[in-house]
Amino acid sequence: MTVYYVNSATGSNSNTGTSEDSPFASFWAVENLKLQPGDSVLLAAGSVFNDQLDLKYSGTVDAPITIGSYGIGDAPVIHSPGDGIHSLYTSNIVIENIKITDTGGAAIYGGYVSNWTINNVEVDHTGLAGKAGSISIRTGSNITIENSTINDVNGDGMWIEKINGVTLLNNTVTNAHGTTADAVQINDSSSIVISGNYLDQTGAVTPKGVLTLIRPVDAVIEGNTIIGGGFGISAQAGTNIAIQDNDISGYGGYSWSYAIGLGDSGDTRNYDISGNYIHDGVWGVAVSSAGTTTYVREGIDISGNLFDDLTQAALKVDRPASGSFHDNFIASDVTPYSISPSIIAAGTFPVSDNTIIEEGPTTLASADSLAAADASVSLVSDTGLTSHNDLKLAADKIAADKLGAHHDNPVWENGISDETLLLRHFGKAAVEKHGFTLGNGDHGVTIEAADLAGPENGSEISHHEIAPQPLHHSEADPLIVSMLQHGVLH
């Protein structure tokens, strides 16, 4: 296991390269080595390399080959007219603690690779020759990208294709430019975990969307912040997909724009869409298709989500599908759902136990004093309405019940901690979770104890008729009907 040092300012390719006092000067010397498992190639802090680094050899699971840095100062930088780092048919590679900028191609390209980890890599202004993906990995297994930043790139921020085992953790991707560019696109891959990432396309030039998964199998998308683009998450045809606890906002630009879209381009089976905060966009969850295809759309469970500031409905289902929409929280200014009459008649996508949240100013009340509190926020509860204007705990919706039923839901997380129920204006931001506020933090809703009953508004049924815009197609859709009775969606 040998450590090789490379310093573009003080090194020489005639050196041994095996000490900081005798470093190589360029990648040419490294590429003439036959790297062995456990070897490391460390680039000097502050160095700039104007060439592509080709990796030709593999490590082992216990002894990977590492490309990293040494010394104090700015991360070493790779510029290149081609790719920054390029590799084919290698395995057990670690790339960490470097910066890649101003490349013609991808920042990192790997083809037919396995057991790669990319950690704490900064990517900026890459893909200048128009190649897709600033980090582009195609065909292989077990790829982890974590703690890395990607900004101002041409093409997709990450392009991952035909990989069994994809893990994306705590990365930041901003401004992937181009009409076909997403912050992240993953094609025909399986065993996917996407968690804790910040993906923001608000400053991108003509972006397509933020996160696209094409034909994924066994994917978990959780705890991410997803902003901007024409859509938030597109997982149109997949199997066993969990989309949970994400903050999705700021998407739009098209009549069909959605926070979460599925049901197009192939069969869709077993989706758990729960605990997401979806706001400041067009449609919420859209189960739809560009045509009258016969794709299977089944096992779609949508629950425990929070919908606010949407110009269209929280839910759209306009193609045959089976699933349910239940126990969600919907701002009173958002149309709850838009479902084709034929699907309503078939009873394959029932709507139940959702709560409409009325807007109001900030109120802080203890759980013990709710009955006496002055009502400044009312929640239209699925337990029925009271005949008074005070905030009151519904008898059959006590905190313990809700905490047990929604223990994974950010709306209910942490229950009645310190016997405090915090209600905040619902217009701009979301639920506080784990010590921070989703959204911009100046307003939001934190509901931690129980469902609340709002002012009585009688037994009148309010009838909403919606002529929805097509989901990325121009085909005319039938009139869709939504109904609201007693503040509870039916």
Side-chain angles (χ1 to χ4, degrees):
M1 297 183 181
T2 305
V3 178
Y4 296 98
Y5 299 88
V6 191
N7 189 319
S8 62
T10 65
S12 170
N13 288 338
S14 62
N15 287 340
T16 63
T18 55
S19 73
E20 293 185 34
D21 295 330
S22 184
F24 292 135
S26 71
F27 293 157
W28 178 87
V30 174
E31 291 165 356
N32 281 291
L33 299 171
K34 186 174 181 179
L35 296 175
Q36 301 295 314
D39 286 353
S40 296
V41 176
L42 304 184
L43 312 181
S47 288
V48 177
F49 300 92
N50 296 304
D51 201 359
Q52 174 176 295
L53 174 59
D54 290 309
L55 298 180
K56 297 176 286 186
Y57 301 101
S58 297
T60 64
V61 172
D62 296 328
I65 290 174
T66 298
I67 308 299
S69 64
Y70 73 97
I72 299 173
D74 295 336
V77 176
I78 298 176
H79 298 304
S80 171
D83 298 332
I85 295 176
H86 184 96
S87 186
L88 297 173
Y89 302 101
T90 61
S91 60
N92 302 295
I93 300 292
V94 175
I95 301 171
E96 61 184 6
N97 304 327
I98 63 173
K99 181 176 182 178
I100 304 173
T101 70
D102 298 294
T103 61
I108 299 172
Y109 180 91
Y112 302 93
V113 298
S114 63
N115 298 338
W116 272 38
T117 296
I118 299 170
N119 178 46
N120 193 33
V121 171
E122 181 180 353
V123 174
D124 187 72
H125 205 221
T126 56
L128 302 183
K131 293 185 179 180
S134 64
I135 294 181
S136 185
I137 310 292
R138 303 188 178 198
T139 310
S141 61
N142 300 329
I143 304 300
T144 297
I145 304 173
E146 58 188 356
N147 306 314
S148 296
T149 62
I150 299 171
N151 176 62
D152 192 31
V153 298
N154 289 321
D156 299 277
M158 297 182 194
W159 175 283
I160 297 171
E161 184 175 32
K162 297 180 181 177
I163 302 294
N164 178 23
V166 177
T167 302
L168 308 181
L169 299 177
N170 304 321
N171 302 288
T172 297
V173 183
T174 54
N175 302 336
H177 304 295
T179 56
T180 62
D182 304 307
V184 176
Q185 179 159 340
I186 301 176
N187 295 353
D188 298 302
S189 296
S190 59
S191 299
I192 300 164
V193 175
I194 303 173
S195 179
N197 301 280
Y198 181 89
L199 310 176
D200 185 352
Q201 286 286 77
T202 55
V205 178
T206 61
K208 180 162 66 78
V210 182
L211 175 59
T212 295
L213 293 91
I214 296 178
R215 294 175 294 274
V217 176
D218 299 331
V220 175
I221 305 165
E222 63 179 5
N224 303 283
T225 299
I226 294 171
I227 306 174
F231 55 79
I233 299 174
S234 175
Q236 296 292 346
T239 302
N240 301 332
I241 310 300
I243 302 174
Q244 303 170 337
D245 301 338
N246 302 284
D247 184 341
I248 307 171
S249 68
Y251 56 93
Y254 306 98
S255 61
W256 52 262
S257 291
Y258 48 77
I260 299 170
L262 58 148
D264 196 6
S265 72
D267 292 343
T268 300
R269 292 184 171 93
N270 302 333
Y271 278 58
D272 176 8
I273 300 172
S274 60
N276 301 285
Y277 175 45
I278 295 172
H279 58 108
D280 298 287
V282 185
W283 296 95
V285 178
V287 183
S288 189
S289 179
T292 56
T293 56
T294 57
Y295 296 138
V296 173
R297 305 175 188 89
E298 64 183 15
I300 302 165
D301 187 79
I302 305 168
S303 66
N305 302 284
L306 190 59
F307 298 91
D308 187 24
D309 285 336
L310 303 180
T311 61
Q312 297 287 351
L315 172 69
K316 177 180 183 178
V317 184
D318 66 358
R319 296 293 182 271
S322 68
S324 60
F325 184 74
H326 63 95
D327 296 294
N328 297 284
F329 302 86
I330 306 168
S332 59
D333 59 350
V334 173
T335 300
Y337 60 88
S338 175
I339 302 177
S340 295
S342 60
I343 298 172
I344 293 176
T348 60
F349 217 105
V351 174
S352 64
D353 299 319
N354 298 287
T355 300
I356 300 299
I357 303 179
E358 300 290 342
E359 296 188 12
T362 300
T363 297
L364 178 63
S366 71
D368 292 336
S369 62
L370 281 176
D374 181 35
S376 59
V377 175
S378 63
L379 304 186
V380 182
S381 171
D382 56 12
T383 61
L385 302 176
T386 63
S387 59
H388 54 76
N389 292 325
D390 291 341
L391 294 174
K392 184 175 182 181
L393 291 172
D396 61 346
K397 292 288 185 179
I398 63 172
D401 291 340
K402 296 305 293 186
L403 189 59
H406 297 275
H407 65 278
D408 291 324
N409 186 334
V411 173
W412 298 107
E413 187 140 347
N414 296 328
I416 52 171
S417 175
D418 298 325
E419 297 185 332
T420 297
L421 177 67
L422 176 62
L423 303 174
R424 295 198 288 172
H425 186 277
F426 191 61
K428 296 296 182 183
V431 180
E432 287 191 348
K433 182 182 180 185
H434 301 309
F436 64 93
T437 301
L438 303 179
N440 63 18
D442 56 351
H443 298 84
V445 162
T446 303
I447 308 167
E448 296 183 325
D451 282 349
L452 302 177
E456 183 175 280
N457 57 5
S459 60
E460 180 181 357
I461 296 175
S462 59
H463 185 183
H464 306 279
E465 296 190 357
I466 311 158
Q469 298 294 327
L471 181 69
H472 56 77
H473 59 88
S474 58
E475 179 180 309
D477 287 321
L479 181 67
I480 293 175
V481 176
S482 304
M483 301 183 73
L484 179 68
Q485 183 177 15
H486 292 294
V488 184
L489 302 183
H490 296 279

